[in-house]
Amino acid sequence: MSFYENSSERSHRTNTSSLIPPTVIPKYFNVPYAIQHGYFRCVRYLLELAYDSNERDCQLRTPLILCSYIENTRWSLSLAQNLLEKGAKIALEDHARRNA
């Protein structure tokens, strides 16, 4: 019995310590990059790590503007709601003076 108890404790400890620390995320990986490349599930994780919800890409598009380009409306609305909860601003404009 003690062997099984120790192995289950050991596996529990390794599972909790195997979380990826925030320092492993590449420098270029930010909220606009995640949205543009389809990493929609990572956006919530990045926002929980206090990434900027108003960070712009090279064309000055905000994550809220990028949400309007997502074809799947469920993902688009869910991401927009998460961004707004984390303080995304609607009135910010891109290079063509469009806003969310």
Side-chain angles (χ1 to χ4, degrees), residues 2-99:
S2 65
F3 173 74
Y4 292 112
E5 290 174 9
N6 290 337
S7 65
S8 66
E9 288 178 28
R10 188 178 311 127
S11 67
H12 178 25
R13 274 187 263 131
T14 56
N15 286 341
T16 57
S17 65
S18 66
L19 296 175
I20 299 172
T23 57
V24 177
I25 298 174
K27 185 178 181 179
Y28 62 86
F29 197 84
N30 54 22
V31 177
Y33 181 88
I35 293 173
Q36 288 173 341
H37 290 86
Y39 301 122
F40 303 137
R41 294 180 187 207
C42 293
V43 173
R44 181 179 295 190
Y45 178 68
L46 292 173
L47 293 173
E48 291 297 322
L49 292 175
Y51 275 66
D52 186 12
S53 60
N54 293 310
E55 188 170 358
R56 297 169 180 258
D57 66 355
C58 62
Q59 296 179 353
L60 302 178
R61 295 178 294 193
T62 63
L64 277 177
I65 294 172
L66 293 172
C67 282
S68 65
Y69 294 119
I70 299 173
E71 292 180 12
N72 188 332
T73 56
R74 294 180 91 186
W75 277 109
S76 177
L77 292 174
S78 176
L79 285 175
Q81 182 179 6
N82 287 334
L83 289 165
L84 289 170
E85 288 173 357
K86 294 296 181 178
K89 297 178 183 173
I90 297 172
L92 296 178
E93 296 178 343
D94 66 355
H95 73 285
R97 300 187 53 85
R98 293 177 292 219
N99 62 10

